[in-house]
Amino acid sequence: MPKKISKVLIANRGEIALRVIRACKELGIQSVAVYSEADEGALHVRHADEAICIGPPESANSYLAIDKIIDAAKQTKANAIHPGYGFLSENPLFAEACEKNKITFIGPSADAMRAIGNKTSARELMEKANVPIAPGKNDVDRNDTKTILTEIKRIGVPLLVKASAGGGGRGIRLIENEKEALEIIDLAANEAASAFGDATIFLEKFITGARHIEVQIMGDAHGNVIAFGERDCSIQRRNQKLIEESPSPAVDEELRTAICNAAIEAAKSCNYQNAGTVEFLLDEKTKQFYFLEVNARLQVEHPVTELVYGVDLVKTQLKVAQGESLTNLFPTQPTPRGWSIECRINGEDPFSEFMPSLGLIGSLELPNGPGIRFDSMIYEGLDVPLFYDSLLGKLIVWGVDRQEAIARMQRALIELQIGGIQTNIPFHQELLNNNAFITGAFHTNWLEENFVMPS
């Protein structure tokens, strides 16, 4: 039975740790930050009620060390853990460790994670739940060349070979003709084995010119699931999202209802609880959509949903984890208002193949004005560690419509000044002024196929 949360340990770092700390403060819940030796001067360490060092800079010995995080929770008497995103957030062993130690895990159960964490089993689960999936072949044996070539002929090229245990865009390769198929499958399987310790792969029809549409869902302990509309995440480079917006310029009210209903059925198929995202590929020409995967955690891009739906998703996570019912929290279905866009601000050089650029933040000027939000870990004088990803913060804007949101983001990107390191702000400025983006005429491969940064 869920219990009242009095103190939350945040098993993460950076802007998401700050985001959770702020939600805890507003609910009168104590917070505990964990940090590696490289993050001793981080903002989440300063803002939490308590902070405890869990090891050296390397993630494997700190933020990914389940035993150290559980010990930190016990030492500080935290009775709940919020995993944020990345690191251990989708690790069923971590959720089980919390349960074993009678610590509330603010996220889905280990069983739900396992059911949807493996992409091939997730496809099978969705098929049973009547959630549309793209034509494909599960559990491909890389050594059974005869079956592989037969399935490729059946599915048709182009198609994707994907790692079953994949994530973060890794273990994904495009097969454009049959002659190169076997070589590409070997490359994908080897990459999967190296990245995830699992070489299992599957084949999936490649939807040309597809949009990447995802639905924010929230489930409670009483069997209720709510969908908070869709986000469009089609602006990607190397399968990594760079800009997200809500709603999608490609989705009308009828399609929104259908895709949200499918997301709810996907969540119910595995008794999903707490925050999650169901991702789909949308064939914009036919309006047919296909299940892609479930992210069993809060997403980086959750703020655009918050601004459009007027909801605090982190506070909702905390309330749901305590056993509160979504029917009480949301007596009526939340409805969208306006438009929101998020730009991921990374420490990288857009003029040098987006090479990482981390180090000392020499100066910082933040954007201000109506409808602007900057969720960030940085401050003037911070020496950004080289041990973690390059995300510095998220610039989010809200406008009454897409036109105003774009104009507001253009202004905010000019006002946001980060000195001392290179950032991808110039990339976002060029993109926000690109006619294809302004008119909404883009898809998941548009950026890499059509967009070139001026030198």
Side-chain angles (χ1 to χ4, degrees), residues 29-43:
I29 296 172
Q30 294 285 296
S31 60
V32 179
V34 295
Y35 64 96
S36 73
E37 292 168 358
D39 275 335
E40 186 175 1
L43 284 180

Side-chain angles (χ1 to χ4, degrees), residues 147-295:
T147 299
I148 287 172
L149 293 174
T150 299
E151 289 298 324
I152 288 173
K153 285 185 182 295
R154 178 183 67 83
I155 300 167
V157 292
L159 57 80
L160 293 170
V161 53
K162 292 183 173 182
S164 293
R170 291 172 294 177
I172 301 175
R173 300 272 177 159
L174 177 64
I175 298 174
E176 297 185 271
N177 60 70
E178 294 180 26
K179 292 181 181 179
E180 62 184 11
L182 297 178
E183 180 182 353
I184 289 176
I185 285 172
D186 272 343
L187 286 172
N190 289 334
E191 186 178 2
S194 174
F196 313 112
D198 184 351
T200 306
I201 54 172
F202 66 99
L203 303 177
E204 186 176 86
K205 178 67 177 175
F206 179 72
I207 312 300
T208 305
R211 305 288 284 238
H212 187 131
I213 307 295
E214 62 184 32
V215 176
Q216 175 70 57
I217 57 100
M218 186 75 70
D220 65 18
H222 312 284
N224 302 306
V225 179
I226 286 182
F228 293 93
E230 84 285 353
R231 298 186 287 253
D232 195 316
C233 306
S234 302
I235 300 295
Q236 302 178 8
R237 186 186 70 251
R238 300 168 191 157
N239 298 304
Q240 291 286 325
K241 303 167 188 173
L242 296 172
I243 290 182
E244 300 94 3
E245 59 183 306
S246 180
S248 167
V251 174
D252 57 23
E253 194 58 44
E254 182 180 356
L255 181 56
R256 178 171 299 113
T257 298
I259 204 166
C260 284
N261 286 341
I264 290 171
E265 290 307 311
K268 288 184 175 179
S269 72
C270 60
N271 298 315
Y272 194 94
Q273 293 182 31
N274 219 273
T277 298
V278 187
E279 303 196 350
F280 299 92
L281 286 178
L282 170 66
D283 185 333
E284 197 170 358
K285 295 177 183 175
T286 64
K287 296 297 182 182
Q288 177 63 53
F289 58 90
Y290 304 97
F291 171 80
L292 186 60
E293 63 180 333
V294 178
N295 291 122

Side-chain angles (χ1 to χ4, degrees), residues 33-140:
V34 295
Y35 64 96
S36 73
E37 292 168 358
D39 275 335
E40 186 175 1
L43 284 180
H44 75 284
V45 177
R46 297 186 195 177
H47 286 268
D49 295 300
E50 299 175 58
I52 184 167
C53 183
I54 54 171
E58 294 78 14
S59 297
N61 297 317
S62 53
Y63 297 109
L64 289 172
I66 293 176
D67 56 340
K68 291 184 177 181
I69 292 172
I70 295 294
D71 284 346
K74 289 179 176 179
Q75 286 181 47
T76 57
K77 295 182 171 53
N79 67 342
I81 290 179
H82 194 300
Y85 53 72
F87 292 131
L88 294 168
S89 62
E90 294 181 273
N91 188 327
L93 296 177
F94 185 43
E96 284 177 339
C98 291
E99 183 180 1
K100 180 181 176 182
N101 288 278
K102 295 181 172 53
I103 299 169
T104 299
F105 179 76
I106 302 171
S109 68
D111 287 343
M113 283 190 198
R114 287 195 173 97
I116 56 179
N118 182 286
K119 290 182 172 59
T120 53
S121 64
R123 278 171 55 89
E124 293 167 359
L125 191 65
M126 294 307 124
E127 196 169 19
K128 290 178 183 176
N130 295 316
V131 176
I133 61 172
K137 168 65 177 174
N138 292 347
D139 298 321
V140 174

Side-chain angles (χ1 to χ4, degrees), residues 389-406:
D389 66 44
S390 61
L391 181 66
L392 302 175
K394 304 173 320 197
L395 183 58
I396 314 109
V397 302
W398 179 90
V400 293
D401 54 25
R402 191 167 188 266
Q403 183 179 2
E404 183 175 74
I406 290 174

